[in-house]
Amino acid sequence: MRLPSVLWRDTEHSATVPRDSAMISDLNLERVFAEIAAAHGGTSIDRLLRTPLLHSEDVEYRREVFEDLSSPPVRAQLESFSRSMTKIRRHLSELSMVDHAIIRCRLRLDVLHAYCQAVLSLRQGLDGIALTSQALESWRDYVNAYVARAEFEELVSGCAEVLADIGTIHYTMRVDEHRIVVEEASGAPDYAAVIERLFAPFMRGWTPAGQDSIPWSTNVHPVEERVLDQLVQIFPLPFRRMMEYSDSRCEFIDPVVDRVDGELRFYFSYLQLVDKLSAHGLEFCLPDVTDSFDSIRVQGAYDVALALKCVDEGKMPVSNDYHLSGNERIIVVTGPNQGGKSTFARMFGQGAYLAALGCPVPARRARMMLTDGIHTHFERREGTSDEAGKLQNELMAINDTLDLATERTIIILNESFSSAATVDAQRIGEQVLRKISERKSITVFVTFLDELSGLDGVVSMVAGIGDDATLRTFRLERKPADGRAYAMALANQFDLSYDAIVARVAR
C-alpha cells in the first residue's frame, strides 16, 4: 500500500515554486500567513504556506480534499481526531516534567489509551462517509489497515488489561491528625460511590465545560506521592505490570498517523481563516486552475489581508472583477491616488498565490492560470548608500525578472519608474511592456501614465470616483484611462478651471 499523504500527490513533492520573501511582503501575505499559522501554532504550517505548487494535478489533489472538508460530517470527524492528537502530543511533551516514576508511567498509560480511542473513533467515524478525494480515501484505507494490524490490536488490548488491573486496587485512608494510614480495603464502603449517588439528582443534564478526555495533572502534592509509594508496597504486582508495559510503549504513535495529522492541520488552519471572513459575508471559492493560459476570469475578488483588517474594525472591503482572454495578458491600472490601485495589484497576486497552494481563494468565482512564479516590483525607499540610483536598480531588477519570465509568469509592477521624468518614465514603460508582451507573461502595471493603457494588447482598468470627485469608490472598471477627465472634474469642483481662473483675474 502506498503511504498516504493528504497534501502531496507525489510524496517526493520537489516541484515547488521558489519562495520570494520580497514578493510575500509586497502582497501583504505575511499578515495572512500569520493569521493562518496562529490557528494551530506551527512553523510547519507557515513553511507549507511558503511552498506553492507547480502542476495543476497537485493543485487538484488538494482541491479535492477541501471539497470533502466542505461536508460537515467529514470535517467534524477529522477535526475531532486532530484535536485529540493535539492534546496527546501536548501531554506527552509534559511527561518530562513529572519526576515520580509511577505517576509518569500512569500518565503515559492514560495518553496511550486516549491515542487508541482516537484512532478507533476515527476509523468508526469515517466508515460509511462518502469521500471523493484520492487523498482522504487513501487515508481512510490506511487507518482501516492500521487498526486491523496485530500490533495495534495488542496495543489496545494490552492497555485495557493494564488499566483493568490497576482498577482492581481498592484501599482505605485513615487520617489521624498529622498521620495518614493507607491499608488494603477489606469490606469498607466505597464512599466515592456514596457521594456520587447523593449528588446524582443535582448532576442530571450537566457536564463540566471543556472536559479533557485525558485525566491529567503534572502537579502532584508530596503527600499524594507518599500515599502512592505506600500503595506500591501494598499492591506490588499491578504497579509492576503497569510500569513494565508503560516503559515498553514510550513510542506508540504511528509515524504515518502522526504525519498525516500534521498535514490535515494545514487544511483546518486555512479553513479557520475562511470561516472567520465568511462569517462577515466575504466569499471564498475553489478556483478552476489551468497549467497554461486559457483565459483568466475572477469575480468578487478582494484583498484578504485588507479584509482581515477591515473585519477587525467592523468594516467590509470592496470587491472587484477582472478578466483576460484571447491575446490579452497585460492590465494597466490608472486613476486617482488612494483609489485602490495598489490594493487591486495585491489582490491579483494574492489570488494567484493562494490558488497555487491548492486553497480556496478570496473571490465569488475564479478561473486562473497556475503560475510558475510571481515577481513583484513595488516602489521602495532609496538607501543613502545606493550609488547606482533608484531608477537603475528598478531597471536591473525588472531585467532579471524578464530573463526568468515565461508564459506562466505573473509580473506585478506598482508605480514603477516614478522617480524618472514623465517622458522618460513613459518611454521606459513602453519598452518594458513590449518585452513582457513578447514573453506573454501575465502582468498588472499600476501607473500614473495614462498613455501606457493605450498600447496594443493592453487592458485598461481605471479606479473609480463618485459624484464628488474627491470620493473614491475603490472599484476598478475596465475602460479607457480618464486621468484628464478626473483632473478636470477636480478643477471644476474647486473653481480652478481655466475659465474660472480667468474670470477671477478679470475682476
Side-chain angles (χ1 to χ4, degrees):
M1 176 190 295
R2 175 182 174 273
L3 294 180
S5 170
V6 295
L7 281 177
W8 309 104
R9 181 180 60 92
D10 174 10
T11 52
E12 297 297 324
H13 56 265
S14 57
T16 55
V17 179
R19 289 172 280 178
D20 182 344
S21 58
M23 177 268 292
I24 297 293
S25 177
D26 286 341
L27 298 180
N28 277 353
L29 284 168
E30 292 287 5
R31 167 74 174 89
V32 181
F33 292 174
E35 181 78 24
I36 296 170
H40 287 84
T43 54
S44 59
I45 302 296
D46 184 79
R47 187 164 56 249
L48 286 168
L49 291 169
R50 298 173 192 272
T51 314
L53 306 170
L54 269 177
H55 303 294
S56 61
E57 294 93 338
D58 298 320
V59 170
E60 180 63 22
Y61 190 78
R62 293 186 185 179
R63 175 195 170 108
E64 290 176 351
V65 176
F66 275 112
E67 287 177 339
D68 272 345
L69 290 174
S70 66
S71 166
V74 175
R75 182 174 174 180
Q77 286 295 334
L78 292 172
E79 281 190 323
S80 175
F81 175 72
S82 184
R83 285 193 297 271
S84 296
M85 289 298 295
T86 298
K87 290 179 182 177
I88 287 165
R89 289 192 192 89
R90 185 179 73 247
H91 291 328
L92 284 175
S93 69
E94 293 171 350
L95 285 177
S96 60
M97 298 185 293
V98 180
D99 295 326
H100 199 286
I102 299 291
I103 297 172
R104 186 169 58 252
C105 286
R106 174 55 202 260
L107 290 175
R108 185 185 298 119
L109 189 66
D110 288 335
V111 179
L112 192 158
H113 177 70
Y115 169 74
C116 293
Q117 294 307 306
V119 173
L120 290 170
S121 295
L122 176 66
R123 182 197 63 77
Q124 183 179 9
L126 291 180
D127 187 35
I129 287 184
L131 298 174
T132 59
S133 64
Q134 304 173 55
L136 291 183
E137 284 184 342
S138 176
W139 170 230
R140 177 166 60 185
D141 291 344
Y142 182 85
V143 171
N144 288 336
Y146 173 60
V147 168
R149 286 186 204 165
E151 296 89 343
F152 183 78
E153 291 179 348
E154 190 279 330
L155 195 68
V156 173
S157 60
C159 181
E161 288 173 7
V162 172
L163 286 173
D165 205 12
I166 290 292
T168 61
I169 296 175
H170 296 281
Y171 64 96
T172 62
M173 277 198 314
R174 187 173 70 255
V175 181
D176 184 7
E177 292 188 358
H178 300 296
R179 184 166 175 266
I180 298 177
V181 179
V182 181
E183 297 176 332
E184 182 176 0
S186 55
D190 185 349
Y191 290 109
V194 172
I195 291 172
E196 284 183 0
R197 285 197 301 272
L198 285 173
F199 282 88
F202 307 102
M203 302 290 288
R204 291 193 185 102
W206 178 83
T207 55
Q211 190 174 20
D212 198 332
S213 59
I214 309 174
W216 190 263
S217 175
T218 57
N219 298 317
V220 181
H221 194 277
V223 172
E224 294 177 293
E225 293 181 352
R226 293 290 301 275
V227 170
L228 182 58
D229 291 338
Q230 290 295 314
L231 291 175
V232 173
Q233 298 296 321
I234 300 171
F235 304 99
L237 187 58
F239 281 104
R240 185 168 67 248
R241 288 173 179 167
M242 182 192 74
M243 291 191 69
E244 289 174 353
Y245 184 81
S246 179
D247 287 340
S248 69
R249 297 294 186 275
C250 290
E251 301 292 336
F252 55 82
I253 298 179
D254 179 71
V256 176
V257 170
D258 189 46
R259 174 176 54 77
V260 173
D261 173 59
E263 293 177 349
L264 283 168
R265 281 184 281 127
F266 170 82
Y267 292 94
F268 300 142
S269 297
Y270 195 89
L271 286 173
Q272 285 194 30
L273 169 73
V274 173
D275 292 343
K276 177 177 180 176
L277 295 182
S278 296
H280 293 271
L282 293 166
E283 296 182 272
F284 279 80
C285 71
L286 285 166
D288 295 326
V289 174
T290 60
D291 277 323
S292 58
F293 181 84
D294 184 18
S295 80
I296 293 175
R297 188 172 296 274
V298 180
Q299 298 175 346
Y302 55 92
D303 178 337
V304 68
L306 178 61
L308 287 168
K309 181 176 183 293
C310 285
V311 298
D312 288 342
E313 298 173 353
K315 303 175 183 176
M316 285 287 284
V318 174
S319 62
N320 276 288
D321 303 342
Y322 58 89
H323 69 272
L324 295 170
S325 60
N327 293 322
E328 297 171 344
R329 299 291 188 278
I330 300 171
I331 298 175
V332 170
V333 183
T334 58
N337 291 337
Q338 306 300 317
K341 302 189 301 295
S342 295
T343 297
F344 177 87
R346 291 189 178 95
M347 174 196 75
F348 190 100
Q350 288 173 7
Y353 187 94
L354 296 175
L357 289 175
C359 294
V361 299
R364 183 171 62 255
R365 188 174 294 107
R367 177 180 179 81
M368 296 177 165
M369 180 194 70
L370 182 60
T371 179
D372 60 6
I374 301 174
H375 300 267
T376 56
H377 297 272
F378 280 54
E379 188 175 13
R380 309 190 192 284
R381 292 181 180 177
E382 186 175 6
T384 55
S385 61
D386 192 353
E387 298 178 359
K390 182 176 181 180
L391 179 60
Q392 183 173 337
N393 282 342
E394 275 189 290
L395 293 173
M396 291 172 62
I398 290 174
N399 185 66
D400 291 342
T401 293
L402 291 173
D403 286 343
L404 299 171
T406 71
E407 294 183 2
R408 292 180 57 189
T409 301
I410 291 177
I411 302 172
I412 300 178
L413 307 169
N414 188 46
E415 303 290 4
S416 296
F417 323 126
S418 59
S419 61
T422 300
V423 64
D424 293 331
Q426 182 178 334
R427 180 171 53 84
I428 294 169
E430 289 176 357
Q431 292 178 359
V432 168
L433 289 181
R434 287 194 183 98
K435 291 290 186 182
I436 291 174
S437 183
E438 290 172 4
R439 288 158 178 75
K440 298 184 178 180
S441 300
I442 305 301
T443 301
V444 174
F445 191 173
V446 174
T447 180
F448 62 93
L449 300 167
D450 287 5
E451 293 80 3
L452 296 182
S453 66
L455 298 178
D456 290 341
V458 168
V459 171
S460 173
M461 294 193 73
V462 181
I465 58 173
D467 295 334
D468 180 343
T470 63
L471 297 179
R472 310 289 190 264
T473 66
F474 305 110
R475 295 193 182 278
L476 278 82
E477 299 178 62
R478 186 174 166 127
K479 67 177 185 178
D482 55 1
R484 291 179 181 175
Y486 169 67
M488 183 59 69
L490 277 178
N492 289 332
Q493 181 172 355
F494 294 101
D495 290 332
L496 294 174
S497 66
Y498 177 81
D499 292 340
I501 293 173
V502 168
R504 283 202 302 272
V505 171
R507 289 174 190 162

